[in-house]
Amino acid sequence: MAVGAETARGLHMTKRHRVVIVGAGFGGLSVVKSLKGAPVDIVVIDQRNHHLFQPLLYQVATASLAPSEIAWPIRSMLRNRRDVTTMLATVIGIDTAGKGVLLADGSQISYDTLVLATGARHGYFGHDEWEAFAPGLKTIEDATAIRGQILAAFEEAELETDPVRQRALLTFAIVGAGPTGVELAGTIADLARDTLPRDFRTIDTRGARVLLVEAGPEVLNGYPEELSTYARHALQKLGVEISLGAPVTHIGEGAITFGERRVEAKTIIWAAGVRASPAAEWLDVASDRNGRIVVEPDLTVPGFPAVFALGDTVAIGAPDGSMVPGIAPAAKQEGAFVGEAIRRRLAGEARHTPFRYRHQGSLAQIGKRKAIADFGWIRLRGATAWWLWGLAHIYFLVGVRARLGVVLNWLWIYTRNERAARLITRPAGETELD
Ligand SMILES: Cc1cc2nc3c(=O)[nH]c(=O)nc-3n(C[C@H](O)[C@H](O)[C@H](O)COP(=O)(O)OP(=O)(O)OC[C@H]3O[C@@H](n4cnc5c(N)ncnc54)[C@H](O)[C@@H]3O)c2cc1C
């Protein structure tokens, strides 16, 4: 058992090796799963009480799904694991000398082995001032705020008499044409074209302008060319306007500038860059330009053999020479690897095997009826890929209730164009866009 100062309450002290896992995202929970039956006590610390299925977060932001369909209380997910203690707390630092995790409330949790799986947030390429005007999508709060912003824009446009201002209200700009940007653009276009028209009397929501702004030469950079081209054409068919090769140079109140163009848009959403959690700063170790810890091949932090780090908060190479991507399967594989490595250490095995990433494939949805899928050996697009995309996402949701809820919602969207979660959740009187 760790001997560092233990000042947090609610922890059972045993003589077993204590593994503290910070972050109950895909990576952290995968470590917990992999350590099942190991001779350890596990403490899971997360600043939120829920595990979030981020791949469907854009569906909450676009009123397709409710938050509770893609997020689950960590405590209940781990209720059957008597070896696990769950703590709702924010980590603010690590005392590596004393082997303790420092919490925001001033308390400290000691560890024998520490796993940092604290993920990432949006990064604004040195322009943090843009965040106020172009929020990113990472948490349930982000998603419900963006949902409120999108729906309120239509509401305000309905009451607006000035055509210029009405145009700005009905312009939705999305920065970054990676999977999240593409999925957001396609779904906002669907919302405007199929779901909303019958509900408004003054405006024709089908005339809403959805703009996807990408600095690179193509949408879905990194996908095979044929799939990227297909995605671009499919988005254009949905009415999405795509700007390629012109980086954003300015974002301010209600306006975005890219290349030589300035467009008035009341809603601007950031889906471009990510920045790792401050785990590298906590440990004072080297990080890459996105703030990710440059870990050893066995996912330990250089200089700290008792500390593992994984998922979106680390940079590590893949066998083909590229970097392991910041996606859920990578975090899960790393988590399983770390759990196994801890077991082997406790069994007295000194060998340090390197982590080897296996890419299982990439999927992205385009509007409500199409998707693309790349598994290396096979590439799919259109409706077939959409079914595969749907099945894969349903499979990875937690519990029967969430699966049924999501299937029902998708059925309603698919057949009736109805989106159940069309709620602006702000205090009454604050529905105007500021
Ligand atoms: C909008 C969006 C869409 C995505 N779509 C896909 C997709 O389609 N397919 C795919 O494979 N991947 C997708 N991803 C990426 C995928 O979600 C991440 O790669 C994955 O979540 C990384 O797992 P992780 O465990 O490293 O971090 P996370 O899952 O982000 O978990 C980190 C956890 O750490 C906690 N935490 C952070 N800081 C602290 C702290 N200081 N104290 C305590 N707790 C803390 C957080 O609350 C969180 O629960 C998407 C991501 C986003 C944001």
Side-chain angles (χ1 to χ4, degrees):
M1 226 315 288
V3 289
E6 185 88 302
T7 54
R9 285 160 297 176
L11 278 180
H12 301 293
M13 307 286 283
T14 74
K15 289 196 164 52
R16 300 213 296 182
H17 185 98
R18 180 186 287 171
V19 179
V20 173
I21 300 169
V22 187
F26 289 103
L29 287 186
S30 172
V31 181
V32 175
K33 191 172 169 199
S34 164
L35 282 173
K36 189 170 183 185
V40 294
D41 284 330
I42 301 169
V43 181
V44 174
I45 305 173
D46 202 296
Q47 63 192 354
R48 303 189 183 274
N49 83 326
H50 52 268
H51 168 73
L52 177 61
F53 191 80
Q54 290 168 22
L56 288 179
L57 202 50
Y58 76 97
Q59 298 222 352
V60 173
T62 51
S64 308
L65 296 175
S68 60
E69 284 161 338
I70 63 156
W72 307 273
I74 299 162
R75 199 172 281 290
S76 76
M77 289 175 79
L78 300 175
R79 72 158 68 106
N80 294 329
R81 288 286 300 272
R82 307 302 300 174
D83 54 333
V84 180
T85 302
T86 304
M87 292 183 72
L88 175 63
T90 301
V91 170
I92 54 163
I94 313 289
D95 170 10
T96 46
K99 285 185 129 185
V101 172
L102 312 176
L103 305 183
D105 68 0
S107 59
Q108 187 167 334
I109 305 292
S110 54
Y111 63 83
D112 295 301
T113 298
L114 175 63
V115 181
L116 295 172
T118 37
R121 266 196 73 78
H122 355 281
Y124 286 79
F125 307 125
H127 286 281
D128 288 350
E129 72 278 9
W130 292 350
E131 183 166 15
F133 312 108
L137 185 59
K138 184 70 189 173
T139 63
I140 288 286
E141 292 85 350
D142 295 337
T144 51
I146 289 172
R147 180 181 72 186
Q149 166 110 15
I150 293 171
L151 297 176
F154 286 104
E155 293 296 339
E156 268 206 67
E158 174 82 345
L159 303 180
E160 182 59 59
T161 48
D162 174 6
V164 176
R165 209 179 127 65
Q166 194 178 58
R167 188 81 195 125
L169 283 163
L170 290 176
T171 301
F172 302 87
I174 296 131
V175 185
T180 300
V182 163
E183 291 176 329
L184 272 170
T187 316
I188 295 173
D190 272 345
L191 182 73
R193 276 168 36 132
D194 298 335
T195 302
L196 299 180
R198 286 167 300 162
D199 298 6
F200 286 83
R201 299 291 171 265
T202 313
I203 54 168
D204 181 356
T205 63
R206 285 170 299 197
R209 186 177 179 196
V210 183
L211 189 59
L212 184 59
V213 182
E214 166 61 45
E218 183 54 288
V219 305
L220 294 177
N221 180 29
Y223 278 69
E225 196 184 330
E226 66 185 83
L227 294 184
S228 293
T229 310
Y230 173 83
R232 176 160 44 83
H233 289 154
L235 283 170
Q236 283 165 339
K237 261 192 179 162
L238 289 174
V240 175
E241 197 179 316
I242 299 171
S243 163
L244 299 172
V248 171
T249 50
H250 188 258
I251 300 178
E253 174 73 58
I256 179 169
T257 309
F258 48 98
E260 300 295 299
R261 295 171 67 190
R262 181 178 182 278
V263 173
E264 304 231 336
K266 210 60 186 138
T267 305
I268 306 169
I269 306 171
W270 186 259
V274 291
R275 175 122 201 114
S277 75
E281 290 162 35
W282 295 339
L283 295 163
D284 197 17
V285 292
S287 60
D288 72 355
R289 67 195 170 97
N290 293 325
R292 299 180 301 178
I293 301 173
V294 183
V295 285
E296 300 285 3
D298 66 353
L299 292 169
T300 52
V301 176
F304 301 105
V307 183
F308 290 89
L310 55 88
D312 282 5
T313 210
V314 306
I316 186 168
D320 65 0
S322 64
M323 295 307 283
V324 172
I327 56 174
K332 283 175 155 183
Q333 287 178 30
E334 290 168 0
F337 173 90
V338 166
E340 209 35 57
I342 294 171
R343 268 179 199 275
R344 282 205 307 269
R345 275 189 187 184
L346 292 176
E349 203 180 300
R351 191 167 53 99
H352 288 215
T353 51
F355 169 71
R356 288 184 77 78
Y357 171 66
R358 279 167 290 107
H359 190 63
Q360 292 155 339
S362 310
L363 294 156
Q365 191 200 21
I366 312 150
K368 65 173 182 280
R369 288 178 208 278
K370 289 181 181 151
I372 55 167
D374 174 27
F375 297 103
W377 56 280
I378 188 169
R379 293 169 187 168
L380 299 168
R381 58 198 194 187
T384 320
W386 184 85
W387 279 100
L388 197 72
W389 171 91
L391 288 172
H393 282 77
I394 288 162
Y395 174 79
F396 286 115
L397 295 174
V398 177
V400 177
R401 189 191 53 81
R403 290 192 180 109
L404 285 177
V406 169
V407 169
L408 267 184
N409 270 313
W410 285 352
L411 197 67
W412 249 249
I413 292 167
Y414 201 85
T415 58
R416 303 173 63 95
N417 290 317
E418 277 178 18
R419 288 166 206 267
R422 262 174 57 194
L423 307 177
I424 302 174
T425 47
R426 301 177 192 172
E430 288 184 23
T431 48
E432 297 100 39
L433 299 174
D434 299 319

